[in-house]
């Protein structure tokens, strides 16, 4: 641990980050390496797009993302609205959503929900759809995700009806959109901890 | 049982060499299930018996018991087991306390007692041949075929650890401890050495899939726990058989000849047998998938291939002395995806059902015979020390093994296995028929205490299946084990599942981890690219998307409910009575139901008109209302209708065909009728919404309709069942005519529809189709283009647009327009209705539009 700690110290705010996200020093170090690998300009920030060319920047280095149907939504989830760059701290904070939920952590009410709690995880998932961040998944937004995922195999009409049906299933207050509460209710039976966690290697 | 001698001798011939190790020595058995194997031979023997006597004249009737004895007994036993299950399942409050498997064993005790009382010897026993060749394969095949693959592979590591290491641990610890106790003098004078104890340990080691499935099916534990126990029980059968064979070989070899080389050979053979078996299964799985690609023309027997090839996978592995169980498991797991999309939907259903029938049937037989086998004086050798210690060790080491392995696994698992789950897992270590089968296979010459081992195995089986089985449910309740979420399939959940998958992959990519999701994604891509290409029909490849399938399934369910509901509410009244829809709607919540009545209001009458000429069950309804109508007109219209309409389907009904199910060949007719009616509804609804006057350039479109042969999908099938169900083709003449007249007086809108139709039925006059529309709705247009391009057997998805739920999709569009039409009236009662009582099917409220046109 000694050696890794020393290098962790080179990362700004490493201790606070560890505290906040629950990542260990080794995790942080590893993620930092990854961050630097992605950060080709070495400016400590990942950019959403390259201004002049409008090409996807930085995250474009991850080739698999280009194949991922919802890759774009995920990339944009890293950037808070209006921002075009993300620094290491935010990067880690986003990834922290995907840590497995700590079970036996005593939760004092004063403290904010950790990022890896089920509710925060769900919130993140919700944002995958809710591109305009108005707190509702509209039909168009759902359709967009569906279109990306189902793609060529399904006709537009069928997509429409799928979206329609999905909304009807979840939509309790009949506003033709899914609010976060409705979203949560519809996924009540899903084990979010299982479904939204990955193992971070040390 | 006078037949016993003949029986014995025919059985000798094919006492099989299961696992190539031992000869079965139980002489009389659950008799020849194997009549399948060599029917000619045994039948010949018996035929000779039957005709052996000198014929003195032509007997009119002869009693030839021996002629039919074997198959007769087999069939009888199956019947008896089935009836036993029937009786047991009849008492729900009993089965909710005591699991069925335990009851079946007890039922077996009783039967065994009766037989023993009559024969003074146990005539029927479960022999390894019968068990391993005729009862086990279908259970395992079913398990593999219905295995939730994704869940299985994401817990693969844990399952393998439990199955391999856990089983080895169980075998070794039990064998060694018993040996130790023997040395310590706990069980008196037994002629058993260390190797024999290890052999015994290995046959007791495996958790039995049959018993586990039977018990866990009734307690709905969470899916991870379930897959762990279930997966383990499947895979460790393979392991235990291998272990058993290795130790059996060691025993035959004798203690002194075993050196390091032999042990290493044993270990190698373990891996070869396990992986080889899996490989054989994999190959056969691919074979099945490939085969079902091209069985389009022999649909009626395509389900058969699945079973035959599955069984062949089992036998092939057995022949190569590889693990047959693993082979058939993997065969089922591999082919499930491909055959489900390659085969016709009905064939898939058939496969599923037959699989369940076979598996459930043999499970029942296995448990009954486990019970029967106990009532036999010959096998019972009592040794208190041995038996009690075995019981104790089996239980204790299972707990220790599971806890220890889980402790290690939890260090690596993303979501650790909880303590409670571990308890259930340990407690769910039921032993069953596999152990018994192996014990009976022991060679008496090599192991003097065989009977002791058999009786101990039986006791362990009874103890675990009956006692642990009974206590499992209370324990699960008491420990508050996380249960499986039982709920309806919802689309949003499935969509979200998929989003989760993609999201995790993306996050792993971004954070540079090569984790589980990454691997799965890679595999999926590979599979997408190669396997589906080779193994799937091109037409099936098109619509195989998971979410879409769920959607399709939901739609089918809706369609079924739609029909059931309609029929329940009084024949087909729902077709023409808008109020009948309220109940159906209820589920889809209110914003839909607000809209639905007016769809129905302006379509239902059209619909009924188009339907009436087609013979329909529900004519009485209409007839009553027609009673007072002009009889003259009835006669007129009767002639007209006879000339212009399709024939009733009645005349097609009695055809018998061995290779086809659909008796009604005239699909064009059915489909056109259905298409029209559906289009009628959609169009009229649409025009109502848009307030556009119908134009008339749909004609061309309709003609195309008539030519094309629409494949029959589920939605259409539904409509077909209506038609073909029309036994009484009582033509209530004048139906359409008077109905038309009446409606003409009621609604201006409908008048415009009908104006051109004259006395002829509007629905079947293409040129005068009342529904001529501004444009062909895109979904109709698209499906038609599609279906004219692809082969007629294209699966049902294409026809989705006709399922009732699509009306629902349309429904909300209506909201905006809904003040523009004259059907507000229809809304009011419907909405009230909904508010008043949500639950019970509402009685049809007075429906103004309908009422006044009558």
């Amino acid at each position: 641990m000694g050696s890794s700690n020393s290098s962790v110290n080179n990362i700004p705010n490493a201790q606070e980050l560890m505290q906040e996200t629950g990542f260990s020093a080794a995790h942080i170090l590893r993620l930092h390496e990854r961050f630097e690998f992605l950060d080709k300009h070495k400016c400590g920030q990942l950019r959403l797009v390259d201004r002049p060319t409008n090409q996807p920047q930085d995250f474009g280095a991850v080739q698999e993302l280009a194949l991922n149907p919802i890759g774009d939504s995920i990339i944009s989830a890293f950037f808070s609205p209006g921002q075009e760059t993300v620094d290491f701290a935010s990067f880690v904070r986003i990834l922290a959503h995907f840590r497995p939920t700590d079970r036996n952590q005593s939760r004092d009410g004063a403290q904010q929900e950790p990022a890896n709690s089920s509710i925060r995880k769900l919130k993140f998932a919700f944002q995958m759809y809710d591109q305009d961040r108005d707190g509702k998944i509209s039909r168009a937004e759902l359709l967009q995700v569906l279109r990306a995922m189902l793609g060529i195999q399904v006709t537009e009409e069928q997509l429409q009806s799928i979206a329609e049906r999905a909304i009807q299933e979840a939509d309790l207050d009949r506003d033709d959109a899914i609010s976060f509460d409705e979203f949560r209710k519809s996924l009540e039976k899903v084990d979010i901890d299982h479904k939204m966690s990955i193992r971070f290697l040390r | 049982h006078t037949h016993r001698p003949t029986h014995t001798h025919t059985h000798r011939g094919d006492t099989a060499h299961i696992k190539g190790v031992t000869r079965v020595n139980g002489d009389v058995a659950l008799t020849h299930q194997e009549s399948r194997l060599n029917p000619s031979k045994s039948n010949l023997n018996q035929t000779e018996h039957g005709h052996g006597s000198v014929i003195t004249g032509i007997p009119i009737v002869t009693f030839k018991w021996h002629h039919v004895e074997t198959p007769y007994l087999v069939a009888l036993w199956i019947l008896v087991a089935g009836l036993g299950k029937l009786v047991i399942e009849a008492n729900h409050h009993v089965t909710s306390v005591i699991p069925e498997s335990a009851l079946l064993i007890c039922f077996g005790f009783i039967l065994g007692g009766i037989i023993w009382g009559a024969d003074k010897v146990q005539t029927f026993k479960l022999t390894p041949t019968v068990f391993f060749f005729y009862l086990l394969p279908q259970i395992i095949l079913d398990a593999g075929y219905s295995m939730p693959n994704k869940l299985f592979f994401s817990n693969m590591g844990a399952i393998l650890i439990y199955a391999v290491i856990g089983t080895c641990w169980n075998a070794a610890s039990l064998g060694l401890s018993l040996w130790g106790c023997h040395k310590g003098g706990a069980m008196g004078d037994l002629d058993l050495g260390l190797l024999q104890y290890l052999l015994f340990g290995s046959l007791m080691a495996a958790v039995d899939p049959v018993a586990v499935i039977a018990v866990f099916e009734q307690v709905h534990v969470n899916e991870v726990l379930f897959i762990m126990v279930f997966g383990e029980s499947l895979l460790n059968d393979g392991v235990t058989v291998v272990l058993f064979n290795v130790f059996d070989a060691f025993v035959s070899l004798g203690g002194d000849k075993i050196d390091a080389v032999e042990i290493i050979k044993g270990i190698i053979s373990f891996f070869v047998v396990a992986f080889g078996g899996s490989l054989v299964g994999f190959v056969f799985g691919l074979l099945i998938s490939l085969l079902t690609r091209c069985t389009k023309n022999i649909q009626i027997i395509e389900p058969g291939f699945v079973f035959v090839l599955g069984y062949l996978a089992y036998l092939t592995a057995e022949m190569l002395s590889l693990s047959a169980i693993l082979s058939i498991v993997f065969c089922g797991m591999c082919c499930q995806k491909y055959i489900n999309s390659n085969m016709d939907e009905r064939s898939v259903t058939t496969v599923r059902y037959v699989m369940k029938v076979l598996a459930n049937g043999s499970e029942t037989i296995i448990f009954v015979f486990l019970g029967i086998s106990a009532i036999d004086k010959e096998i019972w050798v009592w040794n208190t020390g041995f038996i009690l210690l075995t019981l104790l060790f089996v239980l204790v080491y299972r707990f220790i093994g599971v806890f220890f392995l889980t402790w290690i696994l939890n260090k690596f698992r993303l979501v650790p296995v909880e303590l409670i789950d571990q308890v259930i897992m340990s407690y769910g270590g039921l032993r069953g028929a596999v152990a018994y089968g192996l014990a009976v296979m022991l060679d008496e010459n090599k192991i003097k205490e065989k009977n002791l081992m058999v009786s101990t195995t039986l006791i362990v089986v009874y103890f675990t299946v009956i006692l642990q089985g009974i206590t499992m449910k209370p324990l699960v309740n008491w420990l508050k084990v996380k249960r499986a979420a039982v709920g309806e399939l919802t689309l949003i959940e499935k969509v979200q599942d998929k989003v989760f998958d993609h999201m995790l992959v993306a996050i792993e990519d971004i954070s540079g981890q090569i984790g589980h999701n990454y691997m799965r994604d890679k595999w999926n891509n590979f599979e997408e690219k190669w396997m589906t290409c080779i193994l799937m029909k091109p037409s099936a490849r098109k619509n195989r998307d998971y979410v879409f399938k769920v959607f399709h399934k939901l739609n089918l369910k809706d369609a079924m409910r739609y029909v059931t509901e309609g029929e329940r509410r009084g024949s087909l009244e729902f077709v023409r009575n808008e109020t009948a829809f309220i109940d159906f709607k209820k589920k889809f919540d209110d914003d839909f139901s607000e809209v639905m009545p007016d769809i129905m209001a302006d379509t239902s009458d059209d619909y009924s008109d188009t339907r009436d000429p087609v013979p329909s069950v529900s004519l009485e309804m209409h007839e009553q209302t027609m009673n007072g109508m002009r009889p003259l007109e009835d006669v007129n219209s009767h002639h007209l209708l006879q000339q212009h309409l399709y024939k009733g389907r009645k005349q097609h009904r009695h055809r018998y065909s061995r290779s086809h199910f659909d008796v009604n060949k005239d699909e064009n007719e059915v489909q056109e009728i259905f298409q029209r009616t559906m289009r009628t509804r959609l169009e009229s609804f649409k025009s109502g919404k848009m307030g556009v006057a119908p134009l008339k350039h749909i004609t061309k479109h309709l003609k195309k309709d008539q030519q094309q042969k629409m494949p029959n999908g589920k939605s259409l099938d539904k409509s077909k069942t209506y038609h073909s169900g029309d036994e009484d083709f009582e033509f209530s003449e004048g139906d359409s005519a008077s109905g038309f007249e009446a409606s003409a007086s009621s609604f201006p809108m409908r008048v415009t529809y009908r104006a051109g139709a004259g006395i002829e039925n509007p629905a079947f006059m293409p040129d005068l189709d009342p529904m001529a529309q501004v444009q062909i709705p895109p979904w109709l247009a698209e499906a038609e283009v599609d279906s004219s391009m692809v082969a007629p057997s294209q699966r049902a998805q294409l026809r989705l647009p006709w399922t009732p739920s699509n009306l629902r999709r349309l429904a909300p569009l209506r909201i905006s327009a809904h003040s523009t039409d004259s059907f507000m009236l229809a809304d009011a009662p419907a909405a009230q209705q909904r508010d008043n009582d949500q639950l019970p099917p509402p009685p049809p409220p007075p429906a103004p539009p309908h009422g006044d046109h009558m």
Side-chain angles (χ1 to χ4, degrees):
Chain A
M1 261 324 197
S3 67
S4 70
N5 255 337
S6 67
S7 22
V8 161
N9 289 336
N10 299 336
I11 303 167
N13 302 331
Q15 294 304 328
E16 288 84 350
L17 267 180
M18 281 159 60
Q19 191 90 110
E20 185 187 332
T21 59
F23 280 119
S24 72
H27 283 144
I28 294 280
L29 200 64
R30 197 188 153 96
L31 289 178
H32 193 250
E33 272 168 27
R34 182 67 181 174
F35 186 81
E36 284 185 330
F37 168 77
L38 292 175
D39 178 20
K40 284 193 284 296
H41 299 274
K42 304 290 168 224
C43 56
Q45 287 185 325
L46 300 182
R47 266 178 265 174
L48 183 56
V49 287
D50 233 357
R51 255 308 128 207
T53 57
N54 243 10
Q55 287 296 305
Q57 186 56 3
D58 290 337
F59 279 110
V62 188
Q63 273 137 23
E64 287 88 349
L65 271 184
L67 298 175
N68 196 319
I70 57 169
D72 289 341
S73 315
I74 289 173
I75 292 174
S76 61
F78 277 85
F79 300 90
S80 38
Q83 298 249 296
E84 297 216 329
T85 56
V86 57
D87 60 2
F88 180 63
S90 323
F91 181 74
V92 172
R93 273 186 213 115
I94 296 291
L95 290 181
H97 284 106
F98 292 90
R99 278 187 59 235
T101 311
D102 318 293
R103 258 156 224 288
N104 32 21
Q105 198 185 41
S106 58
R107 183 168 304 152
D108 32 14
Q111 208 180 349
Q112 201 203 348
E113 288 261 350
N116 59 352
S117 69
S118 345
I119 196 94
R120 291 280 301 270
K121 279 176 194 287
L122 256 184
K123 201 118 205 169
F124 188 87
F126 185 75
Q127 276 168 13
M128 288 284 89
Y129 298 95
D130 186 20
Q131 293 293 331
D132 59 5
R133 315 228 170 164
D134 62 349
K136 274 181 182 171
I137 302 173
S138 67
R139 182 185 317 214
E141 284 165 344
L142 182 61
L143 204 55
Q144 204 182 343
V145 175
L146 282 174
R147 194 176 294 134
M149 287 197 312
L150 299 177
I152 40 162
Q153 297 162 7
V154 181
T155 65
E156 186 65 24
E157 275 306 320
Q158 288 165 335
L159 272 181
Q160 296 254 0
S161 50
I162 292 178
E164 179 63 44
R165 169 142 204 163
I167 288 198
Q168 270 171 12
E169 275 174 359
D171 188 14
L172 300 175
D173 59 3
R174 284 188 271 144
D175 60 350
D176 208 19
I178 304 176
S179 70
F180 180 64
D181 273 342
E182 288 162 352
F183 184 70
R184 197 178 54 186
K185 279 220 180 71
S186 70
L187 296 182
E188 230 163 21
K189 295 189 195 103
V190 180
D191 193 346
I192 302 298
D193 298 344
H194 272 262
K195 292 266 159 81
M196 256 188 82
S197 301
I198 63 167
R199 178 157 359 108
F200 287 94
L201 302 172
R202 278 150 225 281
Chain B
H1 282 265
T2 50
H3 53 272
R4 194 167 158 251
T6 44
H7 195 22
T8 312
H9 96 106
T10 48
H11 188 77
R12 280 291 178 199
D14 42 51
T15 26
H17 308 268
I18 289 229
K19 314 297 165 198
V21 192
T22 32
R23 191 173 53 74
V24 181
N25 87 329
D27 52 354
V28 192
L30 162 59
T31 67
H32 303 251
Q33 291 266 1
E34 55 269 38
S35 47
R36 263 196 282 172
L37 202 64
N38 52 1
S40 52
K41 188 180 115 196
S42 55
N43 280 355
L44 263 179
N45 283 349
Q46 284 154 2
T47 320
E48 280 158 23
H49 274 285
H51 295 284
S53 54
V54 185
I55 300 171
T56 52
I58 296 173
I60 293 174
V61 177
T62 44
F63 183 72
K64 298 191 283 187
W65 165 248
H66 293 297
H67 186 53
V68 295
E69 178 185 340
T70 308
Y72 204 92
L73 281 178
V74 171
L76 266 187
W77 272 118
I78 294 173
L79 178 69
V80 166
L83 289 179
K85 187 165 176 133
L86 182 89
V87 171
I88 287 166
E89 282 296 323
N91 310 308
H92 263 299
H93 39 278
V94 178
T95 42
S96 64
V97 180
I98 306 170
E100 189 194 283
S101 45
L103 287 171
L104 282 171
I105 289 184
C106 298
F107 176 67
F109 288 155
I110 299 169
L111 276 185
I114 295 172
I115 295 168
W116 198 79
D119 269 12
K120 295 293 169 232
V121 67
Q122 194 47 267
T123 324
F124 301 97
K125 277 192 269 196
L126 189 59
T127 61
T129 323
V130 169
F131 176 70
F132 282 109
F133 279 164
Y134 305 112
L135 292 175
L136 191 60
Q138 56 264 45
I139 296 181
I140 308 287
L141 181 64
D142 175 55
Y145 176 72
S146 41
M147 174 78 76
N149 274 351
K150 192 179 158 197
L151 195 61
F152 179 82
F153 283 111
S154 44
N155 292 293
M156 180 86 165
I159 292 171
L160 275 180
I161 298 265
Y162 287 125
V164 179
I165 302 183
T167 307
C168 291
W169 155 258
N170 280 349
S173 59
L174 177 64
L176 287 174
S177 317
L178 282 177
W179 182 67
C181 293
H182 180 170
K183 288 281 161 204
M187 36 193 123
D189 188 27
L190 284 179
D191 186 13
L192 287 171
L194 174 61
L195 278 176
Q196 275 94 334
Y197 275 116
L198 285 174
L199 180 60
F200 179 68
S202 72
L203 74 85
M204 288 299 308
V207 174
D208 186 70
V210 186
V212 162
I213 298 167
V215 168
F216 273 75
E217 225 166 41
Q218 300 183 345
V219 279
H220 302 278
V221 295
N222 63 69
E223 54 178 16
V224 176
L225 177 55
F226 179 76
I227 199 74
M228 296 265 225
V229 180
F230 180 54
E232 182 203 346
S233 70
L234 275 181
L235 296 193
N236 74 5
D237 269 341
V239 175
T240 206
V241 172
V242 176
L243 272 185
F244 179 83
N245 285 344
V246 169
F247 280 116
D248 197 64
F250 281 168
V251 169
S252 338
L253 219 57
D256 358 307
K257 294 207 185 102
I258 298 172
D259 49 17
V261 181
E262 296 299 327
I263 291 176
I264 288 170
K265 262 159 72 183
I267 293 171
I268 291 173
S269 90
F270 175 87
F271 285 103
V272 170
V273 168
F275 285 104
S278 314
L279 192 71
V280 169
F282 186 69
V283 169
F284 270 88
L286 296 188
L287 245 154
I288 296 178
S289 313
L290 272 178
L291 200 64
T292 49
R293 251 192 89 152
C294 34
T295 48
K296 203 177 84 191
N297 299 325
I298 46 165
Q299 264 175 19
I300 212 77
I301 59 165
E302 72 186 353
F305 285 122
V306 178
F307 296 99
V308 170
L309 278 175
Y311 193 52
L312 276 179
Y314 187 86
L315 293 180
T316 309
E318 189 68 56
M319 180 176 74
L320 301 172
S321 71
L322 301 173
S323 170
I325 294 175
L326 287 180
S327 164
I328 201 166
V329 168
F330 278 100
C331 176
M333 281 169 61
C334 251
C335 69
Q336 51 167 260
K337 177 176 171 185
Y338 305 109
I339 60 175
N340 283 353
S341 42
N342 275 345
M343 291 195 308
D344 185 77
E345 222 152 315
R346 283 172 300 180
S347 305
V348 174
T349 315
T350 311
V351 169
R352 282 208 185 111
Y353 264 91
V354 175
M355 205 83 104
K356 290 289 173 215
V357 169
L358 291 178
N360 219 310
S362 45
E363 186 188 292
T364 310
I365 293 172
I366 287 172
F367 282 123
V368 169
F369 272 88
L370 270 181
I372 291 178
S373 308
I375 315 296
D376 183 5
K377 241 172 36 186
E378 285 169 28
I379 61 161
W380 285 109
V381 179
W382 192 264
N383 182 323
T384 319
F386 189 81
I387 290 171
L388 287 185
L389 281 172
T390 308
L391 262 182
L392 179 75
F393 288 143
V394 161
L395 200 61
V396 168
Y397 287 126
R398 169 79 186 169
F399 269 92
I400 295 177
V402 167
F403 275 83
F404 178 68
L405 290 176
T406 320
W407 178 71
I408 294 175
L409 276 172
N410 273 350
K411 290 190 181 299
F412 300 100
R413 272 182 75 83
L414 191 59
V415 179
V417 181
E418 284 166 46
L419 186 72
I420 293 172
D421 286 4
Q422 294 176 40
V423 173
I424 295 299
M425 253 187 97
S426 323
Y427 201 67
L430 309 179
R431 308 307 203 265
V434 172
Y436 174 73
L438 290 175
V440 175
M441 262 166 46
L442 291 172
D443 187 351
E444 224 160 344
N445 301 322
K446 284 184 283 185
I447 295 161
K448 300 286 184 298
E449 306 289 347
K450 179 190 165 185
N451 278 341
L452 176 61
M453 288 191 179
V454 173
S455 42
T456 311
T457 311
L458 275 178
I459 288 185
V460 173
V461 170
Y462 298 148
F463 180 83
T464 53
V465 171
I466 299 179
L467 282 182
Q468 287 180 220
I470 291 172
T471 44
M472 181 63 87
K473 211 170 191 177
L475 189 71
V476 166
N477 288 333
W478 181 61
L479 290 175
K480 297 192 179 56
V481 176
K482 221 199 276 172
R483 298 301 190 92
V486 272
E488 282 199 38
L489 179 76
T490 59
L491 192 62
I492 184 103
E493 239 171 63
K494 298 298 163 190
V495 171
Q496 188 54 42
D497 258 7
K498 208 158 167 168
V499 170
F500 280 140
D501 285 349
H502 287 307
M503 191 156 53
L504 293 188
V505 176
I507 293 296
E508 281 193 353
D509 288 339
I510 288 174
S511 62
Q513 320 271 348
I514 297 184
H516 175 78
N517 297 292
Y518 177 84
M519 305 294 263
R520 196 188 53 222
D521 194 48
K522 282 274 169 293
W523 164 253
N524 281 346
N525 286 341
F526 168 78
E527 204 205 6
E528 199 85 338
K529 216 166 160 186
W530 299 105
M531 312 253 298
T532 50
C533 221
I534 299 168
L535 299 175
M536 254 191 219
K537 269 199 275 206
S539 54
R541 233 176 284 151
K542 214 166 166 187
N543 281 318
R544 70 179 180 283
D545 187 88
Y546 180 58
V547 172
F548 190 81
K549 271 187 197 148
V550 172
F551 178 63
H552 178 57
K553 217 186 284 173
L554 285 168
N555 281 339
L556 288 185
K557 225 168 74 186
D558 285 350
M560 303 275 262
R561 191 179 302 136
Y562 175 93
V563 168
T564 335
E565 190 54 38
E567 283 172 345
R568 190 177 66 75
R569 297 182 57 76
S571 63
L572 298 181
E573 188 200 357
F574 77 104
V575 169
R576 50 187 88 128
N577 187 351
E578 60 267 40
T579 54
F581 268 87
I582 292 168
D583 191 43
F584 169 60
K585 258 160 5 209
K586 198 180 57 196
K587 168 155 196 321
F588 310 109
D589 237 309
D590 307 310
D591 79 333
F592 162 61
S593 63
E594 256 172 24
V595 190
M596 202 58 183
D598 41 19
I599 298 178
M600 290 325 299
D602 54 16
T603 57
S604 61
D605 295 77
D606 303 329
Y607 195 31
S608 66
D609 279 350
T610 60
R611 301 274 314 215
D612 281 344
V614 179
S616 91
V617 194
S618 64
L619 286 177
E620 309 89 68
M621 245 297 286
H622 237 70
E623 253 170 345
Q624 281 168 6
T625 64
M626 294 307 156
N627 274 342
M629 300 284 177
R630 291 131 291 193
L632 187 74
E633 202 170 293
D634 287 0
V635 176
N636 279 342
S637 55
H638 181 65
H639 287 303
L640 270 165
L641 290 170
Q642 261 192 335
Q643 282 164 21
H644 290 283
L645 291 183
Y646 285 125
K647 290 175 202 112
R649 250 144 298 286
K650 196 176 177 184
Q651 62 210 57
H652 299 286
R653 300 185 78 235
H654 299 296
R655 257 181 232 155
Y656 168 78
S657 161
R658 201 183 301 259
S659 52
H660 293 287
F661 263 125
D662 17 356
V663 183
N664 184 2
K665 287 279 108 186
D666 205 355
E667 286 183 9
N668 264 339
E669 207 172 291
V670 177
Q671 269 144 15
E672 189 184 328
I673 292 167
F674 187 75
Q675 272 179 22
R676 292 253 183 113
T677 51
M678 281 321 272
R679 181 175 304 125
T680 306
R681 304 166 84 181
L682 292 173
E683 293 296 334
S684 66
F685 145 70
K686 204 168 176 183
S687 68
K689 180 215 160 195
M690 295 180 168
V692 193
L695 296 177
K696 290 201 176 184
H697 58 79
I698 200 160
T699 324
K700 185 185 102 203
H701 193 60
L702 286 166
K703 276 183 183 149
K704 197 172 95 196
D705 251 27
Q706 284 171 315
Q707 295 155 4
Q708 73 184 318
K709 180 148 173 125
M710 280 292 288
N712 57 325
K714 285 291 177 205
S715 57
L716 293 181
D717 278 348
K718 285 279 90 72
S719 79
K720 216 189 300 179
T721 49
Y722 275 137
H723 300 303
S724 51
D726 303 327
E727 185 69 62
D728 44 346
F729 181 11
E730 292 173 48
F731 224 59
S732 94
E733 305 97 72
D735 226 302
S736 76
S738 46
F740 155 64
E741 218 165 80
S743 68
S745 64
S746 64
F747 281 117
M749 202 154 153
R750 239 171 262 132
V751 176
T752 61
Y753 288 171
R754 302 264 163 64
I759 196 86
E760 286 112 345
N761 190 321
F764 300 109
M765 300 285 295
D767 290 341
L768 297 175
D769 192 290
M771 269 44 254
Q773 233 353 287
V774 191
Q775 58 181 25
I776 301 160
W779 57 91
L780 286 181
E782 214 157 304
E784 265 155 16
V785 170
D786 261 346
S787 57
S788 55
M789 290 189 315
V790 298
S793 84
Q794 173 71 44
R795 303 258 304 281
Q797 286 93 327
L798 284 176
R799 257 141 289 105
L800 268 173
W802 283 276
T803 60
S805 62
N806 277 71
L807 283 175
R808 195 173 349 109
R809 169 169 68 74
L810 291 167
L813 294 173
R814 184 86 176 145
I815 296 173
S816 54
H818 110 80
S819 58
T820 66
D821 57 50
S822 56
F823 298 107
M824 287 297 282
L825 278 174
D827 271 356
Q832 265 171 20
Q833 186 69 36
R834 190 191 335 115
D835 294 339
N836 293 347
D837 52 353
Q838 284 280 27
L839 284 178
H850 201 72
D852 70 25
H853 106 255
M854 293 262 155

